[in-house]
Amino acid sequence: MPAKRGPRTGFLRAATALVALAALASCSSDGDANDPADTTGSPNSTGSTESSSGPVRLPPVPDGFDYQIGGAYTPPSGVEIVARDRGAKPARGLYNICYVNAFQAQPDELDDWPDDLLLRDKKGEVVIDADWDEALLDIGTPAKRKRVAARVDRWIDGCADKGFDAVEPDNYDSYTRSDGLLNADDAVSFIKLLSQRAHAQGLAIAQKNTVELADRRSGAGLDFAVVEECGAYDECGAYADAFDDKVVVVEYTDKGMKKALAGFGDRLSIVRRDLQVSTPDSDDYIRETG
């Protein structure tokens, strides 16, 4: 099974959030008109696809990609597609993807969720994704899906208001960590609600990882994919076929990067990042392309 989620979740979120805030504060104080982290985006002309509310712009794959969910910074030369956390601003002149944690509750946001929207086992205990210390959200009934979606919709609206071009709802695969309390149909039904909201706001919406549901992308209303380590786990082809090559890829190892580039370097937008998705002022920072 591949890495399922970007590191801007769980215990790493607290550290990366501090980095992001510091980076954004620095950008704001510098007032650099050339720093895309400081200004609302004006997207490049890209391909589009029809939604129920009209066309949405798709990422200009295979142009350069940067995954900045751990903190916004000036995109390197050649980058045309950027993914950033919903708390950041989009990069001027680029295609901007807005990251939201849609299926699980961040530890520092747990108290913001009503108790009955947290998934609970037969003993009444909240089901936790142990890898990231995140509570799963209960999307197991139509009524609860609508209530959770109503809250995530506000984040989607915020992405649109800031000028993002697309939204990336993370943890689509959380049903696989639900101890059988949720299933694939629940996940697809829920993300379909998010797709409808994104399209109504003029945003494209990405499938995040979850290769086992790639063949259901049309019914779910998904436009492209943001995937982690498809090279490392030999899944790039499945995503490329399902999404007509509209796929942006993050690899975290040299081996995965080489495999992704060897098979799909001329078709997909691929970047190698450090696991913490850190900013250039960090000792952990890694960003490599083909």
Side-chain angles (χ1 to χ4, degrees):
M1 297 294 288
K4 296 295 187 181
R5 304 170 301 290
R8 186 64 190 272
T9 55
F11 70 91
L12 288 177
R13 186 180 189 273
T16 53
L18 293 175
V19 173
L21 289 172
L24 289 172
S26 174
C27 293
S28 298
S29 61
D30 290 344
D32 184 357
N34 295 318
D35 184 352
D38 190 39
T39 54
T40 298
S42 176
N44 289 346
S45 176
T46 70
S48 63
T49 187
E50 289 291 330
S51 73
S52 59
S53 302
V56 295
R57 289 182 292 273
L58 298 180
V61 174
D63 284 353
F65 174 49
D66 199 10
Y67 205 50
Q68 298 187 4
I69 63 172
Y73 54 88
T74 303
S77 176
V79 170
E80 298 293 337
I81 308 166
V82 175
R84 288 177 171 174
D85 184 78
R86 64 183 173 88
K89 296 180 181 179
R92 177 187 297 168
L94 305 184
Y95 187 95
N96 289 272
I97 303 167
C98 187
Y99 172 96
V100 298
N101 190 359
F103 288 77
Q104 298 183 179
Q106 306 270 167
D108 60 346
E109 296 177 347
L110 186 62
D111 292 341
D112 296 339
W113 288 94
D115 287 344
D116 70 323
L117 291 184
L118 303 178
L119 185 66
R120 296 177 184 273
D121 61 21
K122 293 180 180 180
K123 296 181 180 179
E125 299 294 328
V126 175
V127 179
I128 300 292
D129 175 355
D131 287 341
W132 303 102
D133 192 29
E134 292 183 346
L136 273 64
L137 299 174
D138 190 347
I139 55 170
T141 67
K144 287 190 174 182
R145 283 194 287 272
K146 288 180 180 179
R147 290 176 60 203
V148 176
R151 300 172 74 88
V152 178
D153 284 349
R154 295 200 290 268
W155 300 341
I156 294 174
D157 295 349
C159 294
D161 290 343
K162 287 184 175 183
F164 282 90
D165 301 285
V167 62
E168 170 198 347
D170 200 6
N171 290 316
Y172 188 27
D173 64 331
S174 63
Y175 72 93
T176 66
R177 299 181 293 279
S178 72
D179 298 327
L181 296 171
L182 301 174
N183 59 42
D185 289 340
D186 295 327
V188 172
S189 295
F190 178 67
I191 208 163
K192 185 174 181 179
L193 296 177
L194 304 186
S195 297
Q196 292 169 347
R197 185 61 164 227
H199 290 157
Q201 290 284 15
L203 300 176
I205 183 168
Q207 173 168 321
K208 180 67 174 290
N209 298 322
T210 323
V211 69
E212 61 270 24
L213 297 184
D215 62 348
R216 299 181 66 172
R217 60 153 297 196
S218 180
L222 298 165
D223 303 305
F224 67 103
V226 176
V227 302
E228 295 171 296
E229 301 198 280
C230 70
Y233 292 94
D234 295 319
E235 294 176 341
C236 295
Y239 287 111
D241 291 346
F243 288 90
D244 302 317
D245 287 358
K246 289 297 183 182
V247 182
V248 295
V249 179
V250 187
E251 296 289 339
Y252 298 115
T253 65
D254 286 335
K255 183 178 180 180
M257 183 68 172
K258 289 177 181 177
K259 288 175 68 175
L261 289 174
F264 298 91
D266 61 343
R267 294 170 57 184
L268 312 181
S269 294
I270 304 168
V271 66
R272 183 184 171 198
R273 291 300 326 270
D274 57 281
L275 187 60
Q276 311 234 4
V277 201
S278 57
T279 54
D281 57 350
S282 168
D283 291 338
D284 297 318
Y285 177 77
I286 296 173
R287 183 184 184 274
E288 297 172 357
T289 62

